[in-house]
Structure formats: structure tokens, C-alpha cells
Amino acid sequence: MAGEQLALTVLMGVFLVGVVALLSRMEDLRTYTPLGSGSAGYGDETSHGHKPAGLIRWLTTVDHKDIGILYGVYATIAFVWGGMSVMLMRLELTTPAMDVLAGLGGNAFYNGLLTSHGITMLFLFGTPIIAAFANYFVPLLIGADDMAFPRINAIAFWLLPPAALLIWGGFFLAPLTGGAVEAAQTSWTMYTPLSAEQANAGVDLMLLGLHLSGVSATMGAINFVATIFTERSGKVNWANLDIFSWTILTQSALILFAFPLLGSALIMLLLDRNFATTFFAVEGGSPILWQHLFWFFGHPEVYILVLPPMGLVSWILPKFSGRKLFGYKFVIYSTLAIGVLSFGVWAHHMFSTGINPRIRASFMAVSLAIAIPSAVKTFNWITTMWNGKIRLTAPMLFCIGFVANFVIGGITGVFLAAIPIDLVLHDTYYVVGHFHWIVMGMIAFAGFGAIYYWFPLVTGKMYQKTLAKWHFWLSEIGVSITFFAFLLLGYLGMPRRYATYEFSGAIAPLTQITTLHQVATVGAFIILFGQIIWVWNMAQSYIEGPVVQDGDPWDLKETGQHSREFQWFEEELTADEDSLALTDGGESDDEIRADGGEVEAAVRRVDDE
Amino acid sequence: MSHADEEEDGGHHLPAVEDWPRGFGEASWWPFVTAIGAAGIYLGAAMYVLSTGDSALVPLSYGLGTAVASIGLFLVGLYGWTYHAFIKAYWTSESTGVGLRMGMLAFLGSEIATFGAGFIYYFFVRADAWTDLPHLVESGNIFSSLVIVNTVILIISSVTLHYAHVALRDDDRRRFVGLLGLTLLLGVVFLGGQALEYYEFIAVEGFTIAEGAYGSAFYGLTGLHGLHVSLGAVLLGIVFVRSLFGQYTPEKHTSVTTVSMYWHFVDVVWIFLVVVLYVGAIISV
């Protein structure tokens, strides 16, 4: 046994060294310079090529654009991890009995995957992918040199990889310790007393990792608040601050109150587990206290994850509708309203726990009220497209898919907010279906839309448009198949979280349930196929895609929507050309000035929004 | 390698222009070092957990060693970061500090949530599971003269810090440094008082963190607050040392402001804590 472990450890060591060697040899890492890397922003040409080469550049960077890319890569890796774990679960669920995963650890392994999938997708994919866009683009959009605290920004990112290792730690340690430490099996909600009483140290590792990721998110939020308040350029005021930065500001405010509270709750749970405290014990704060604290964090967390994607769509959708965003002000007001209301709805996750019915009713009222600002947004997106000159590019397709999926995901949520319906559907696949329409159908879709929209700006290359459309349609069809099946499974009474479903026909019709599970698995594979195309498209286009020469790759000038980040991009391109064509003399200078004038006009028009 | 002197155009500057090991323009090792140190503390805690239980997977010393080494690394990183970011170019920097004040405000907002979770637990217990109380609460001895003295000390320290700041703005340097030093001293005395109270309760009275519902709240909240006062004392210490080295003027005093904000916040939390956790525990309604 000891010999095996030693061999495995050595093997892991060799593997890690290999990865480092490979990374440091990769030519792309060495030569990659996002356009204007090292530039301090508008019109500053002093600073190209002052970054160290290779891996060191990425370990030491404090440039918001580089850190944005790091967040993006990190989130993608987490997305793959979370996706792989759910594919294993979907395979297992094609049959009622435990068979596919039986050899890998059976129900316990399924529970570990379930926990890991939820935690990974929400904390290690969702929050970081938003941070990726926010880091790269908020400073560009508000005309700042960088974030308010560039070094804190870097620290916040570098806390995340260790956090992921701790969160996933149980999976790594299980083979090394002969199963003495397993992956945490608490589900992402970590409800007590289950999470307080499971002896498995994998739970402690996960709690520590989550706390670390929460510290990172809070540092990021403080940074964004300070950046948006104090680093705006003179031309950007609250009335013309772009919609994406507004949602990031709101999200950061939510993070400030939500994540530290979760952090304290996690510490309390750790103390309960290791130091015999009574925070969530029956004789102390009671297990229900965990649910209160967790959902006081957890429901704002939903909006922490969904408001910035809404901002992305509000930003990108008008660009391909040829019209400015309809009701800009009201989209902002609805964002703020959702932000405030989000702290007053947490107990709708606890309707079936037997809490005071009068409290329950008030939480139902506030939860239903959130439908109003949500609908304001939806109708504003629809009216933005109405009579517009719609161009069905990949980013636009993802935006439209986002709106469509939100209609289903949102309205199923309205039903769940009603106490009588919730009591029937609580803890069934209906709930799982509802929030997957949101997290996959909206958050991930907005992320993909934004990635395609800004791909030329970040990489200087263009992606393959046909593959991008395949990606969209496979994702949309896969999402619809999988998550409609979930809603139906919920109506039939299939409880969530179970690895097997060999129950009696008196509980639910087993045949239909099996069929729907199989349908959902097929849908999941369609989604998987779409994502493989996406990864391929990104990697291949980044390496050998056509170089973007045009500072306006989306023809936004025609409609006066050539916004700040693409103006910056254009200036970077002209700056590069300028330095190449320096010997040509004065002519290029005039050209630039003429160009600059046009850009200015466009700014004003965009700012009028 | 530095570009500090290249910045003429209206305050546009690169972050981290002068740094160690050498100026990278837009790069610095310090954030990475600091983050690895911070993460190492968590790793140490994780190894500590693995060393407990029936079948220890690693010896206790591994976890403690990792934690101590990581705290060291973290502090080194913190030093390098803050030194190069704020102290080295103190006199040449043109920062108004408005971002830092905003950042401190946001941080204190997040602190409300950090403390909030613990207080919510206590309110749950106070309203519901208020039985099986430790004898210190039954007898009312939890609210001792030590607590009153400590509270007065902390309140005075807030006052002295405020007048230190006023003195700085009036350009009365001697008074500023003196009052700042006094504040730091009072903070340290407060921490000593807390340590004494813990010693009395744990060693003499046998009242520990595992002593039922109230014990969890008591040590959870006073411990969290004590950590905050310790951090505050460290911050005051840094400001004090910087003031001894002649930094701060009536116009340039951002870190005095931010540290004051933090210290007053911690003070207010303490007053709230005394009212609900000490006095609130022995008052019956």
C-alpha cells in the first residue's frame, strides 16, 4: 500500500513538473500580447513590451486585462470539471439502479460528484467568469487606467487556484488515503446536521476552500466598488455609465454583504465540526439557523451570478439590433431593485421547513415582487429588438437565447415562489430544472455571447462563425431538451439529489421517469458536444484565426454604437500601425486625427444613451 | 526599468512601476507571494484537520508548520506589496486616497456581514435555546469590572486617535505622534485585558468554547472581535512607525484616515457586543 502511494505521488509530481515544463515551452504563452498589453489606456503609447516573458509574466501581472484572461482560463477549467462531473451523473441516471458508477464508489461517489458539480459551477465557474469580463472591460468602459487596486486584484485571483484544490481535495485524497478522506457529500447547500456530522475530512477541506474563494470574491468586489466610484474618466458620470458596469457595481454591493456572511457561517460550521461548538446544533442555534444564514447568502448569490450576465446582454443585444437599449434608465432601476429585494427573499427556500406561516407569506410576497423588475428587463430587451435591424451573429444568438431561456427559467421561478405550489414541487427536479434554465440557459449563455463578442478585441483574431453557430444551436437545443425533461420529472414527483430511483410505482410512474431521465441524458450529451465545439473553436481560432485589422469588427459605427472598449481597440490597432508606418511622415498623422474625430462623434452618440 | 518618470500626461500611470525584484512595468511578485502565503494558512488548517480524529493522516506538526511558515510568507508578501505600493514613493505619489477611503468603506460594509452571522446566532440562542447556561452567566459574573475597564480603554483609544488626527491636520506633529502612540498602547492594553479575561474564564472558571450554546457565541464573537483589534493594532503600529519616520502631513494622511475608520468601527462593534453579549446575557426580561 505504501509503495503504491509513493508511486502515485511520484507520478503526480512528474505530471505536475511536466505540465509546468509544457506551459513554459508553449510558444503562444511567450509571444501572446493582447493588443496593447502594457498600455495604460487611451492614447498612451509609451509602454509596449515591458512585461516579462513566459510563465513569469502571468504570475506577476497586475494588469487588469491579463488578470481578466487568467480569470477566464480558470473559469473554463472549472467549467470543464463541473461539466465532466455532471456527465458522469447523467450517465448513472439513465437507469434506475446503481450501475455505471458502481465500480467507482457507487452512491457516495455520485453524492461527491453532485456536491462538486454545484459548488464548482457556482463558485469556481460562475463568479470567476463574471470577474473575467469585469476585470477586462470595466476599466476600459469607464475610461480608467486600471482597477483602483491592481495588486489586490492579482491577490484575489491567486487565491482561487488553491481554493479550487481544497474544494476538490477530497477527490484527490481519496485514492491517496485509501478512502479515509473522500469528496465532500453535502450537496452545495451544505445543510446541517448532515454537513456537521459527516466525519469525512473532505468536507472540512471544501469548507476551507469555499472560505478562501469567498475572501477572493470579497476582495474583488471591494476593488470594483472603489474602481467604479473613483476611477471613472471625466466623461463618464452616473447618467452615462454603461449598463454592464452598473450591474457589476450592484453585484459587488451584493457580494459585500453576502459572501462575508457565508464566510462566517462556514467558519461556524467548521468550529461545530472540529471544536464541539453548538452553532448549528439542536441545543444551540439549531440546524434551521444554517438554512437562514446560508440562504441569506444564497439568494443574493443567485443575483450575484445573474445580474452581470443581464448587464452583458443589455450591452451586446442593442449592438446587433441597430438600436440603443430601450429604457436604459429603467433597466438600471430594475437592476438596483433586484439588488435590494434579493436580500428579502431568502426564506422562500425554506417554505417547507415549518417556519412561521406569517413570515412565510411575507417572503412569498417579496419573492413574487421580484418578477416585476425581471419583467421590466425582459420587455426592454424585446422592445430593443422590436423594429430593429437584427443581425444574427453568434453573440446575438446567445443573447436572444438568453432572453428566451429567461422567460422559461424566470416564470417557473414565479410558480415556485408561491407557497402552495412550492410545497408540492419542493426538492423535486422541477426546482433543479428551474434554476438550470437560469444558470445554464442564462448565465452561461451570456458568458458565451460576451466571449464571442469580445473575442476579436481580446485575441486580435476572429473566431469561426459557423462553428459558433453550431455551438449556439446545440447548446440551445440541448438545454431545452434536458431542462424541459427536468421540469416534467419534477411534475411527476422525482426527488432531486438521488443517485438511484428504484421506487414503487405508487410514488411515481417509473417508466416515464426512466424515459425522461434518458431524454435528459441525451440532451446533456448534446450540450456537451456543443461545448466541445466551443473549446475547439476558441483554441483553434486563437492560434490560427484570421487577424482582425478593423477596429470595428462588428460594424458598430453605422449605428453610432462604436463604444469605448472598441474605440480603445481601434486606437491600439492604429497605434501599432502608426509605429510601423512612422517613416511615412505626416500623412498617417492626419488620418489618425480624422479618425479620432469620428470616434469622438460616436462617443457622444453612445453616451446619449 | 522604471517608467515612473515617463508619466507626464495627466496622471496616467502604470501600476507597480517600481517594484522588487525589478521593475516589470505592469508586474510584481508581491501579490503572488501574498496570495500563496494566505492560501498556505488555509492549507495549514486543512492539514490540522487531517491530523485530528481517530486515524491521523499527517502529524500535527505538519499543519502547524505549514500555517506558521505561510503566515510568515504572507507577512513578507504583505510587507513587499504595501511597501512598494504606498511607502516607497510616498512623497512623490499624487494619489488623493479617495479610492482607498472608498475601499475601506466597502470593506467595513462587508465586516458588518462578517460579524452579523455571529450576532444572528447569538440572537437565535438568546431568544430560543436560552437554557443550560454556564454559571458565569447565571451568577452575572460574566459582566465583570474587567469588561467595563476594557470598554472604557477602547473608547478612550478612539478619542485619542481622533484627536491625533486633528493634531495632524493642525500640523501639530508632536501631539499627533504622541496621541497615536497612546492609542496604540491603549489597544495593546485592551488586548492584554482580553487575554486576561480568557485566562480567567478558561483556566480558572473552566468556561470554554465547548461549554454549550452561550460559550460558542461568547468565544466566537469575542474571538472574532479580538482578531479585529489585533489587526487594528498592527495597522496602528504601521501608521505609528511611519509617523516616526516623518511621513504624513496635514495634506497627505490617507492611511491615518483609513486606519481611523477601521479602529472606530471595531470600537463600535465592541460596544454593541458588550451590550448584547455581556449585559444582554444577564438581563432577564
Side-chain angles (χ1 to χ4, degrees):
Chain A
M1 198 64 201
E4 276 174 36
Q5 282 185 20
L6 193 68
L8 205 59
T9 314
V10 170
L11 202 67
M12 286 295 283
V14 171
F15 172 71
L16 286 175
V17 171
V19 169
V20 171
L22 189 72
L23 281 175
S24 60
R25 287 186 63 85
M26 260 176 77
E27 205 56 32
D28 294 325
L29 267 172
R30 239 184 247 288
T31 54
Y32 171 83
T33 40
L35 283 135
S37 66
S39 162
Y42 290 93
D44 186 343
E45 290 134 310
T46 52
S47 47
H48 281 275
H50 291 303
K51 289 179 180 173
L55 257 189
I56 290 179
R57 172 247 174 104
W58 295 100
L59 297 181
T60 60
T61 185
V62 291
D63 177 350
H64 69 99
K65 298 188 291 302
D66 284 356
I67 292 173
I69 292 170
L70 286 171
Y71 267 111
V73 171
Y74 175 87
T76 307
I77 293 169
F79 189 60
V80 171
W81 176 286
M84 287 300 110
S85 48
V86 83
M87 292 318 296
L88 290 174
M89 287 156 63
R90 282 306 335 157
L91 275 177
E92 174 53 52
L93 289 167
T94 48
T95 58
M98 168 55 60
D99 33 34
V100 178
L101 300 181
L104 290 165
N107 294 340
F109 187 62
Y110 180 93
N111 294 343
L113 292 174
L114 175 94
T115 308
S116 176
H117 172 70
I119 297 270
T120 303
M121 286 306 199
L122 293 173
F123 293 91
L124 306 180
F125 164 68
T127 319
I129 192 73
I130 292 166
F133 295 122
N135 263 296
Y136 205 107
F137 292 104
V138 165
L140 292 181
L141 289 170
I142 66 173
D145 297 341
D146 202 300
M147 297 287 286
F149 313 122
R151 290 176 179 82
I152 290 183
N153 202 21
I155 295 175
F157 172 76
W158 286 111
L159 292 178
L160 281 178
L165 292 180
L166 280 171
I167 288 171
W168 299 333
F171 285 102
F172 307 135
L173 288 178
L176 292 175
T177 59
V181 178
E182 293 179 286
Q185 296 162 36
T186 58
S187 140
W188 88 279
T189 51
M190 299 169 277
Y191 275 3
T192 51
L194 178 74
S195 57
E197 286 171 10
Q198 276 186 352
N200 171 19
V203 180
D204 299 288
L205 300 190
M206 183 182 78
L207 297 176
L208 285 166
L210 275 176
H211 192 267
L212 193 54
S213 80
V215 171
S216 158
T218 309
M219 289 170 79
I222 291 172
N223 211 343
F224 280 117
V225 169
T227 304
I228 296 175
F229 265 91
T230 64
E231 300 285 315
R232 278 174 286 135
S233 86
K235 288 178 197 155
V236 181
N237 56 35
W238 293 117
N240 65 16
L241 181 64
D242 65 280
I243 188 80
F244 178 59
S245 300
W246 266 111
T247 55
I248 288 295
L249 183 64
T250 315
Q251 180 224 27
S252 300
L254 297 186
I255 288 179
L256 283 186
F257 293 106
F259 268 92
L261 190 113
L262 175 75
S264 288
L266 291 170
I267 297 291
M268 285 150 79
L269 184 53
L270 275 166
L271 291 174
D272 269 10
R273 289 175 56 81
N274 293 295
F275 295 97
T277 53
T278 61
F279 289 110
F280 305 115
V282 177
E283 66 274 21
S286 85
I288 284 292
L289 175 63
W290 171 265
Q291 295 196 23
H292 279 296
L293 292 181
F294 180 81
W295 288 116
F296 186 84
F297 148 79
H299 204 85
E301 164 73 357
V302 173
Y303 294 102
I304 287 166
L305 289 172
V306 88
L307 284 176
M310 286 172 162
L312 289 173
V313 168
S314 304
W315 182 247
I316 297 169
L317 188 120
K319 306 285 187 288
F320 299 102
S321 303
R323 301 182 58 197
K324 63 181 188 181
L325 180 66
F326 185 89
Y328 163 80
K329 262 194 221 168
F330 290 90
V331 177
I332 292 169
Y333 293 153
S334 63
T335 302
L336 297 174
I338 291 176
V340 171
L341 289 175
S342 70
F343 279 105
V345 298
W346 78 86
H348 70 214
H349 298 271
M350 302 162 61
F351 281 160
S352 62
T353 54
I355 55 172
N356 189 321
R358 281 163 294 184
I359 293 176
R360 211 164 59 173
S362 63
F363 275 100
M364 171 170 122
V366 183
S367 304
L368 290 173
I370 284 201
I372 296 165
S374 308
V376 167
K377 284 178 181 297
T378 310
F379 286 116
N380 277 315
W381 291 322
I382 295 172
T383 29
T384 303
M385 290 190 283
W386 194 271
N387 268 347
K389 211 177 105 205
I390 292 185
R391 290 180 287 155
L392 291 178
T393 59
M396 184 61 169
L397 285 173
F398 274 102
C399 287
I400 297 173
F402 173 99
V403 177
N405 294 340
F406 183 42
V407 171
I408 300 169
I411 289 179
T412 48
V414 177
F415 287 113
L416 284 174
I419 297 167
I421 303 178
D422 183 73
L423 291 180
V424 177
L425 294 173
H426 184 81
D427 257 349
T428 67
Y429 264 66
Y430 185 88
V431 180
V432 185
H434 152 67
F435 70 71
H436 275 86
W437 277 104
I438 303 283
V439 289
M440 182 65 200
M442 291 177 72
I443 297 167
F445 269 45
F448 291 133
I451 287 172
Y452 285 122
Y453 180 61
W454 283 321
F455 189 82
L457 188 154
V458 173
T459 63
K461 308 279 182 69
M462 190 41 113
Y463 60 81
Q464 301 179 56
K465 295 180 178 175
T466 315
L467 287 185
K469 288 187 178 169
W470 272 96
H471 174 212
F472 168 74
W473 285 109
L474 287 170
S475 299
E476 180 61 48
I477 292 168
V479 161
S480 302
I481 292 176
T482 310
F483 304 131
F484 260 125
F486 278 22
L487 295 178
L488 296 175
L489 279 166
Y491 284 135
L492 293 176
M494 171 76 201
R496 63 193 280 202
R497 298 199 180 99
Y498 281 75
T500 59
Y501 48 99
E502 295 168 294
F503 36 60
S504 101
I507 298 173
L510 189 55
T511 335
Q512 281 104 309
I513 286 201
T514 312
T515 313
L516 283 169
H517 268 305
Q518 287 163 350
V519 169
T521 302
V522 170
F525 271 95
I526 296 175
I527 298 176
L528 173 67
F529 192 53
Q531 310 322 305
I532 292 172
I533 291 179
W534 169 65
V535 172
W536 165 256
N537 190 2
M538 292 295 101
Q540 200 266 345
S541 306
Y542 165 60
I543 295 167
E544 49 187 34
V547 175
V548 177
Q549 314 273 2
D550 182 2
D552 181 19
W554 299 116
D555 298 328
L556 300 173
K557 285 180 181 168
E558 286 173 19
T559 50
Q561 291 184 309
H562 194 240
S563 45
R564 274 176 189 281
E565 80 278 33
F566 277 106
Q567 287 167 32
W568 168 83
F569 177 61
E570 186 164 50
E571 279 166 37
E572 290 299 322
L573 284 181
T574 24
D576 286 350
E577 267 171 39
D578 204 28
S579 61
L580 286 177
L582 212 61
T583 45
D584 279 357
E587 229 175 33
S588 66
D589 237 22
D590 293 336
E591 210 175 294
I592 288 166
R593 214 171 296 135
D595 240 22
E598 256 177 41
V599 173
E600 277 305 311
V603 183
R604 244 169 274 124
R605 263 180 289 162
V606 172
D607 286 354
D608 283 347
E609 281 178 17
Chain B
M1 284 302 287
S2 154
H3 312 290
D5 34 17
E6 286 173 30
E7 43 165 297
E8 306 100 17
D9 48 348
H12 281 277
H13 62 87
L14 304 172
V17 279
E18 283 187 52
D19 216 327
W20 186 86
R22 63 193 169 86
F24 280 146
E26 291 214 355
S28 165
W29 274 106
W30 297 116
F32 187 71
V33 172
T34 314
I36 295 304
I41 300 170
Y42 284 75
L43 186 67
M47 284 161 85
Y48 168 78
V49 170
L50 294 180
S51 72
T52 57
D54 301 331
S55 53
L57 291 162
V58 291
L60 178 63
S61 55
Y62 282 26
L64 294 179
T66 309
V68 169
S70 301
I71 290 171
L73 189 66
F74 175 66
L75 292 177
V76 167
L78 217 54
Y79 172 78
W81 158 34
T82 48
Y83 181 77
H84 286 95
F86 301 112
I87 298 178
K88 190 150 177 276
Y90 175 77
W91 293 109
T92 48
S93 129
E94 282 166 18
S95 162
T96 57
V98 62
L100 287 163
R101 290 203 295 276
M102 190 71 217
M104 177 53 82
L105 210 60
F107 172 65
L108 295 181
S110 79
E111 290 285 79
I112 292 174
T114 305
F115 279 101
F119 279 113
I120 290 166
Y121 162 74
Y122 175 69
F123 295 147
F124 255 64
V125 173
R126 185 70 181 84
D128 213 26
W130 198 242
T131 52
D132 200 16
L133 295 170
H135 64 92
L136 276 168
V137 175
E138 299 276 12
S139 64
N141 288 340
I142 191 93
F143 185 55
S144 60
S145 52
L146 177 65
V147 180
I148 298 171
V149 171
N150 240 354
T151 308
V152 171
I153 286 173
L154 203 59
I155 292 173
I156 292 176
S157 79
S158 253
V159 175
T160 54
L161 183 58
H162 175 75
Y163 281 103
H165 204 172
V166 170
L168 174 65
R169 275 178 294 195
D170 293 344
D171 213 6
D172 186 348
R173 201 164 181 88
R174 268 183 68 83
R175 192 173 151 82
F176 162 62
V177 177
L179 284 172
L180 192 61
L182 181 61
T183 309
L184 177 59
L185 183 71
L186 289 169
V188 174
V189 171
F190 174 87
L191 283 173
Q194 280 293 90
L196 179 64
E197 185 188 47
Y198 272 26
Y199 173 78
E200 286 283 330
F201 284 178
I202 296 170
V204 181
E205 307 277 350
F207 169 58
T208 66
I209 192 170
E211 197 74 11
Y214 183 77
S216 301
F218 181 84
Y219 286 103
L221 281 167
T222 55
L224 183 65
H225 184 266
L227 283 176
H228 279 81
V229 178
S230 310
L231 174 64
V234 171
L235 295 176
L236 279 173
I238 293 170
V239 172
F240 185 58
V241 170
R242 286 176 67 180
S243 74
L244 289 181
F245 276 85
Q247 295 200 336
Y248 305 121
T249 66
E251 289 78 37
K252 283 178 91 75
H253 53 88
T254 304
S255 56
V256 183
T257 311
T258 49
V259 171
S260 292
M261 286 159 76
Y262 179 82
W263 191 255
H264 295 321
F265 174 84
V266 172
D267 194 2
V268 169
V269 171
W270 175 253
I271 294 167
F272 185 69
L273 193 153
V274 169
V275 171
V276 304
L277 193 69
Y278 288 89
V279 182
I282 57 175
I283 285 177
S284 50
V285 280

